[in-house]
Amino acid sequence: MKNVLLKNQKTGLCSGCGICTVACSNHYLTMKENEVGELRPIAVTLQKCIDCQKCLKVCPFADNAGEKEKAILEEKCYIGWSGKYRADASSGGCCTWFFNQLLETGVVSSVISVYPTSNSDELFAYTVCHNEEELLNCLGSAYYPVTLENVLKKIEQEKGKIAIIGVPCFVTAIRNLQSGSKKWREKITVVAGLVCGHMPSKRMVDVLAWFRKKKREEIQSCRFRFRDDERPAWNYGIHLTFKDGSDWKSYGSEEFGYLFWRRLFAQKCCNYCSDVFADQADITFMDAWLPEYKEETEGTSMMIVRSKELIPVVEKLKTEGYIGEISFNKVEEAQKKLCDFKAMAGTHADEERKRIRVQEIIRKYHTDEKVMEALRRLVYKEKLRKENKILWSMMEIKDKVTGK
């Protein structure tokens, strides 16, 4: 018998997309949070695996995943922003503008995107949008685990064409699902991708709450990349509001950035992912991290369009904002650090060791505000491991003696 549960036990490579639960012939799988804040498939007690192996055929990290579709007919790269949505969006508002165009022109009848909830155990979730008002609820970024399980099961029997957006591994899983299903090929007609450096576990937000002496269940809402006219676009952050009425903001140059940009809560699969630009998506959105744009207080979008049918849609932005065609070399320049990191996918032994040590720290300091101090010490020691082996060894001995 072969399935994703056995595959995950062996490799540990899973992003929690939930497509396996949709593909399963016998409703054997469902998604659940594990002990380290990651979403993973588990067995449904009353069902059994019939060895159809459809879960493996859709999994983006399985060796025998489905045949990947190569639907790229034409590729153009753009940079720009939406005059209507830029002020409230994470990176130029082009993604929201694009989906609203698809809805208004009838290209699709609904859009599947991620929105912030008021559920402290599920701060973000996929939802179905049918109009601009519902799309606006999805403005912003979500550096938080989400799954497609419930939303795809919800729209499975609905009529109409659908657009969907996801990070690269989610896009791959969606394409794998379509590869083995005419129903999903006909239903999902536009697949949009997001450039993704890594997807942190839920523990990143938990730790930030613990740092404020709060627990997860006390969180009312979470927002990433909220607008701040006094800070450049690159110095984005997190805004937590709590059920007692208090709130807290942390930026890229503060605690949030310390945890996020050092990838302290990256999932294992993120160290094995080589897909920078969601290569199988019809269109991919990303930030324009170029010197001439990243210091601006409002974000700027970059787009790679791979479907010739979508090029005229995107170019309508000329009348409602700004758009200019750029070379792919310029796109790579904007994402150079990420391109360099993902070019070494599967060889990041240091990242793997750090990921495991972070999990050990979380287990030890569970809900304790001292966890931030312990994580900072870990980062410092990892730096010493590379730069001063003798001092690192001395710190290791001291920590074992003191129990740190």
Side-chain angles (χ1 to χ4, degrees), residues 88-121:
D88 297 312
S90 294
S91 52
C94 287
C95 186
T96 303
W97 177 89
F98 170 76
F99 281 135
N100 192 50
Q101 282 292 304
L102 297 185
L103 289 173
E104 288 187 345
T105 57
V107 175
V108 299
S109 58
S110 55
V111 172
I112 296 178
S113 186
V114 175
Y115 80 112
T117 77
S118 56
N119 180 350
S120 58
D121 267 335

Side-chain angles (χ1 to χ4, degrees), residues 231 235 248-259 376:
R231 295 174 184 265
N235 193 11
W248 181 62
K249 295 178 180 179
S250 180
Y251 293 89
S253 55
E254 300 168 345
E255 289 84 3
F256 164 72
Y258 193 87
L259 300 182
R376 289 184 182 276

Side-chain angles (χ1 to χ4, degrees), residues 23-72:
C24 178
S25 299
N26 204 38
H27 309 292
Y28 172 65
L29 301 169
T30 190
M31 302 302 292
K32 186 177 180 179
E33 180 183 348
N34 65 16
E35 64 171 355
V36 292
E38 302 164 339
L39 296 176
R40 295 291 181 263
I42 63 168
V44 177
T45 307
L46 298 179
Q47 302 295 339
K48 65 178 182 178
C49 177
I50 60 174
D51 203 25
C52 68
Q53 299 185 28
K54 289 183 178 179
C55 57
L56 290 171
K57 292 177 181 177
V58 298
C59 178
F61 296 100
D63 293 335
N64 60 336
E67 191 71 24
K68 293 179 172 60
E69 292 189 356
K70 295 185 181 298
I72 299 175

Side-chain angles (χ1 to χ4, degrees), residues 72 171 175 191-193 277-284 304 306-307:
I72 299 175
V171 168
R175 290 303 195 196
V191 178
F277 298 110
D279 294 335
Q280 295 187 65
D282 298 306
I283 182 171
T284 298
I304 303 174
R306 304 183 180 93
S307 170

